[in-house]
Amino acid sequence: MNDAVITDVSAREILDNRLEPTLRVTVETGAGTGRADVPCGRSRGANEAVDLRDGGDRYRGLGVRTAVGNVEERIAPELIGTDVTDQRAIDDRLVSLDGTPDRSNLGGNALTGVSVAVLVAGAATLDAPLYRYLGGVDASALPVPLFDLIEGGELGASGLDFQEHQVVPTGADSFSEAVRRCSEVYHELGGLIESEFGPASLDVGDEGGYTPTGLTDPRDAFDLELRAVEECGYGGEFSLAVDVAASELYDPDTGTYDVMDERMTRGELVDLYGDLVDGYPLVSIEDPLHEEDFDGFAQLTDALDVQIVGDDLFVTSPDRVQTGIERGAANALLLKVNQVGTVSEALAAASRSRRNGYAVQVSERSGQTADTWLADLAVGLNAGQIKTGVSRSERTEQYNRLLEIEAELGSAATYGVDAGPCLTDRA
Ligand SMILES: O=C(O)[C@@H](CO)OP(=O)(O)O
Ligand SMILES: [Mg+2]
């Protein structure tokens, strides 16, 4: 029998970094095994693929067990006997087997687990590293990491409304240098926070960034970050970025945003972004407005000379990316495979973005495991940007894998070249 033929597909319930149940899917062929853990978001877009999870009781895993059953009883019989390298055909099959636009029948988490495990098994079968299997000989770009040093919103109990306040090592010459600089700044910032807010402030959020209590204004977070950068001797070598996750701040009844204890109109929020861009080296703003406001995104993209990233706006859907392109909304895609459900759809969203001059930032979810397919995906796509959190093992494992890939690529590895015009001048 052909060694690339799928011989088994299985799944089990595991725990993520929040001790919440998720899935691990394993795909076997005659020549290799692929395993993939499924991440899970907390600040989820309304248009994301629907996971089978547990509504009111998310720790008990009942929904996840349904997804496990769907993988083993409904998906596995359809895939056994097919060639594992036919990723596109397999993903099409998954989508049609599910049969719903939001993947709520088999579960977005079941589909994502199978689709990524098929990808990993394909690489194993051909005995190639995952990034190489995905991107061929061209895969060589180590991504610029956006380090989420201070968390707020849904992911950190800091009082800050914006979800992520990231530092971006735009001035580094290599990925390893970038990560080393970020970790120095991380430790320096910890010292500053401890001396200003006391040791309890060293608590970290879901992505391992600090959550100093008592801060409400993003400018305070930026000031702390820039002080840490200066103290480390890297003044001018770092830029700043934010994920506002504005859908979480939006009140559809009044059409306003709750920011810094005020109700802001879209116009006031847009003015705030203008001030932040004028006052700080802010180069990237993710989800600055709520997820259906394509017009507002377009106005902002036009008005500000920075990267505007669509996360909840695009939910990694090729169709929503197309709408964004037609309306001039945003200029970068945040890519999360489990928002859409399959690898092939995520790749289609990425290439449509790229073809239209949009940057691509590969992203973690706030619920992750130590599985590192994300790191390989970033290099395989030559995405040029990654956000994968900061200081917990499910985050640092991504950096460790990227460091391993950088070493493997040796002099072929590049850094920054593919990050898009806002994150580097190294184009
Ligand atoms: O909003 C985001 O970009 C993410 C990850 O950083 O959060 P979540 O996974 O909770 O959606
Ligand atoms: Mg986001």
Side-chain angles (χ1 to χ4, degrees):
M1 187 171 67
N2 174 357
D3 272 355
V5 162
I6 295 175
T7 53
D8 193 38
V9 179
S10 59
R12 53 184 282 119
E13 179 189 327
I14 58 162
L15 296 171
D16 70 12
N17 56 310
R18 290 191 278 239
L19 277 182
E20 292 182 13
T22 188
L23 266 80
R24 172 170 291 169
V25 176
T26 304
V27 169
E28 310 262 6
T29 70
T33 299
R35 200 181 82 176
D37 295 352
V38 180
C40 179
R42 172 151 292 160
S43 69
R44 298 166 53 81
N47 299 293
E48 290 194 25
V50 171
D51 282 351
L52 294 182
R53 293 182 73 84
D54 306 302
D57 200 353
R58 64 174 188 257
Y59 306 111
R60 293 189 63 188
L62 303 175
V64 168
R65 283 201 280 285
T66 309
V68 166
N70 288 346
V71 172
E72 299 199 329
E73 284 147 37
R74 297 168 67 187
I75 297 175
E78 298 287 329
L79 299 193
I80 289 170
T82 55
D83 187 316
V84 75
T85 61
D86 284 344
Q87 183 80 40
R88 182 64 191 269
I90 290 172
D91 286 342
D92 286 350
R93 186 85 197 101
L94 291 174
V95 169
S96 64
L97 264 179
D98 172 79
T100 64
D102 63 2
R103 310 324 140 67
S104 55
N105 179 11
L106 295 175
N109 45 356
L111 260 57
T112 300
V114 172
S115 182
V116 179
V118 163
L119 184 78
V120 178
T125 297
L126 297 190
D127 201 19
L130 181 55
Y131 68 90
R132 176 73 70 216
Y133 175 65
L134 245 178
V137 289
D138 193 37
S140 53
L142 270 296
V144 173
L146 288 89
F147 258 69
D148 176 22
L149 288 185
I150 298 184
E151 294 185 52
E154 291 293 297
L155 303 186
S158 61
L160 290 158
D161 297 309
F162 291 3
Q163 185 174 282
E164 298 165 24
H165 307 73
Q166 303 145 337
V167 297
V168 193
T170 36
D173 290 329
S174 67
F175 179 76
S176 38
E177 174 68 10
V179 171
R180 195 179 58 72
R181 289 182 177 191
C182 286
S183 63
E184 284 175 47
V185 173
Y186 165 75
H187 288 288
E188 185 65 36
L189 179 63
L192 288 178
I193 289 176
E194 185 168 7
S195 61
E196 285 203 14
F197 302 93
S201 312
L202 292 177
D203 286 351
V204 297
D206 278 358
E207 297 175 359
Y210 296 117
T211 57
T213 46
L215 295 188
T216 51
D217 192 321
R219 284 168 279 231
D220 293 335
F222 292 167
D223 287 336
L224 277 169
E225 290 180 336
L226 290 178
R227 263 172 66 200
V229 165
E230 291 284 340
E231 295 285 330
C232 290
Y234 297 129
E237 300 275 303
F238 272 82
S239 304
L240 299 175
V242 279
D243 178 5
V244 177
S247 295
E248 304 291 339
L249 309 175
Y250 183 65
D251 177 354
D253 294 332
T254 58
T256 56
Y257 294 86
D258 288 326
V259 181
M260 291 186 276
D261 294 327
E262 269 180 56
R263 289 201 155 179
M264 288 196 186
T265 60
R266 175 168 92 182
E268 287 165 340
L269 194 53
V270 166
D271 288 346
L272 171 64
Y273 297 136
D275 289 348
L276 294 179
V277 170
D278 286 344
Y280 291 89
L282 180 64
V283 294
S284 178
I285 309 178
E286 180 185 328
D287 281 355
L289 296 167
H290 77 81
E291 59 204 336
E292 297 301 346
D293 193 2
F294 279 92
D295 282 344
F297 266 80
Q299 279 172 29
L300 208 54
T301 309
D302 200 37
L304 299 181
D305 192 18
V306 297
Q307 176 168 274
I308 303 290
V309 186
D311 172 14
D312 294 349
L313 180 77
F314 292 143
V315 291
T316 317
S317 144
D319 291 345
R320 289 184 70 93
V321 168
Q322 184 61 35
T323 306
I325 289 162
E326 283 162 14
R327 295 170 70 171
N331 51 26
L333 164 74
L334 196 78
L335 185 141
K336 295 166 166 170
V337 177
N338 78 324
Q339 280 183 322
V340 64
T342 64
V343 169
S344 300
E345 290 165 295
L347 295 183
S351 44
R352 185 165 290 178
S353 300
R354 276 289 176 68
R355 277 200 303 275
N356 289 278
Y358 280 46
V360 175
Q361 187 180 122
V362 167
S363 172
E364 67 188 337
R365 299 310 304 247
S366 51
Q368 283 279 148
T369 74
D371 194 348
T372 56
W373 56 261
L374 191 76
D376 281 74
L377 183 66
V379 179
L381 281 177
N382 280 335
Q385 303 181 25
I386 192 167
K387 77 162 181 174
T388 186
V390 188
S391 66
R392 307 164 44 138
S393 308
E394 74 279 0
R395 320 284 152 188
T396 54
E397 276 307 297
Q398 311 298 331
Y399 296 121
N400 288 336
R401 174 65 185 142
L402 287 164
L403 291 167
E404 191 171 59
I405 296 174
E406 183 186 44
E408 212 166 279
L409 287 169
S411 60
T414 64
Y415 175 74
V417 212
D418 292 274
C422 299
L423 258 61
T424 181
D425 47 16
R426 216 172 279 115

